[in-house]
Amino acid sequence: MANNLQDSVQQPSFSYRELVDALVDRGYLVVDDFLSPELTKALRDEITELNRMGIERAGIGRGGALQVNDDIRSDKTQWIEGETSAQQQFLSQCDDLRSEINRHLFMGLHDYEAHFAVYEPGSFYQKHLDAFKGRSNRVLTNVIYLNEHWESEWGGELAVYDEADQLIERVLPKGGRAIFFLSERFPHEVLKTTKQRLSIAGWYRINSSTGSYIDPAR
Ligand code: OGA
Ligand code: MN
């Protein structure tokens, strides 16, 4: 990884306040330039290389119930474990945000997990919720886009719906852009893409472990 990444730690160009206010008012926010172009490129290069070496088809569900289902989603994913300086920088930027959100909103966000996702041409992810009330510890989703450039004719937009299932936003997956939304409230889908589409999907989680039940590591 290029060393200059270490020296050029960038703050997101939006204010924490903007995110906090949007979460209170609307429950979601789209921001451009959430990641610097340098970090976006470094992460794009990494996922491109990981994909070249071969990464896994994404599954639905967790643990024993994990299954690959072609009808629901056709992306490939790789968990981000902080193995490179770009990944560390990404995780620390998202974790700084976690502290700020907790400070202002008392959401009790406990940790953050994220994976790279590759949607090859023809791939999609059908309309879904990331969390069901009381059944998941995922409370806030963010999705960060890594393609340098995207055109609307290429498909692959993220369609976001409200609680009444009305379309509220079609987000072009343009490099550096991010969307944040409350995981239980917004059904969303990745429309079929005609170009390779690179992104990171992440979740801020509360700790819902109890004495007899330990939250899975992810
Ligand atoms: C997901 C997801 C959206 C996107 O991985 O759960 O909804 O735009 N991703 O990649
Ligand atoms: Mn989702």
Side-chain angles (χ1 to χ4, degrees):
M1 196 42 51
N3 284 332
N4 62 358
L5 262 182
Q6 302 273 20
D7 309 327
S8 62
V9 175
Q10 302 258 344
Q11 292 306 311
S13 67
F14 74 104
S15 67
Y16 297 127
R17 197 76 238 174
E18 185 185 352
L19 176 61
V20 165
D21 289 347
L23 289 177
V24 172
D25 293 346
R26 292 182 289 141
Y28 80 99
L29 178 70
V30 178
V31 283
D32 285 327
D33 308 315
F34 174 66
L35 297 184
S36 68
E38 296 76 21
L39 184 54
T40 304
K41 180 181 185 315
L43 293 167
R44 176 169 63 242
D45 290 349
E46 287 187 16
I47 182 55
T48 301
E49 178 60 12
L50 288 166
N51 188 45
R52 204 185 56 75
M53 292 178 345
I55 60 173
E56 298 282 312
R57 276 290 310 283
I60 316 280
R62 277 171 185 269
L66 194 74
Q67 48 183 265
V68 171
N69 190 328
D70 294 313
D71 298 338
I72 297 176
R73 67 189 296 184
S74 45
D75 56 330
K76 295 175 283 180
T77 59
Q78 169 85 44
W79 288 101
I80 296 178
E81 313 276 12
E83 283 165 359
T84 64
S85 76
Q87 291 180 23
Q88 285 158 21
Q89 193 173 313
F90 171 78
L91 292 174
S92 86
Q93 186 172 320
C94 289
D95 200 62
D96 289 350
L97 206 48
R98 186 180 67 78
S99 315
E100 285 299 322
I101 296 167
N102 282 339
R103 214 154 62 80
H104 293 286
L105 294 182
F106 308 104
M107 283 175 78
L109 304 176
H110 180 262
D111 64 12
Y112 175 75
E113 62 179 3
H115 62 54
F116 286 117
V118 179
Y119 291 75
E120 300 290 4
S123 301
F124 58 86
Y125 191 163
Q126 281 192 2
K127 197 197 285 183
H128 64 281
L129 278 171
D130 284 351
F132 293 95
K133 264 199 177 65
R135 287 186 29 210
S136 171
N137 55 2
R138 291 177 169 180
V139 292
L140 176 65
T141 302
N142 67 356
V143 186
I144 299 94
Y145 298 105
L146 300 177
N147 285 82
E148 187 169 14
H149 168 75
W150 199 266
E151 292 182 15
S152 48
E153 308 85 77
W154 295 353
E157 291 150 304
L158 177 69
V160 184
Y161 300 84
D162 65 13
E163 281 161 300
D165 235 8
Q166 298 298 306
L167 180 69
I168 45 176
E169 204 62 69
R170 284 170 77 122
V171 183
L172 275 196
K174 184 170 131 353
R177 173 174 282 174
I179 178 167
F180 291 78
F181 57 89
L182 297 175
S183 308
E184 287 177 352
R185 268 189 39 196
F186 297 92
H188 54 282
E189 71 181 308
V190 178
L191 304 176
K192 191 182 275 192
T193 183
T194 62
K195 301 276 180 202
Q196 187 188 64
R197 176 192 194 271
L198 307 172
S199 61
I200 294 172
W203 296 274
Y204 292 92
R205 308 189 309 169
I206 52 172
N207 184 0
S208 45
S209 299
T210 62
S212 58
Y213 173 79
I214 311 289
D215 262 344
R218 51 171 61 112

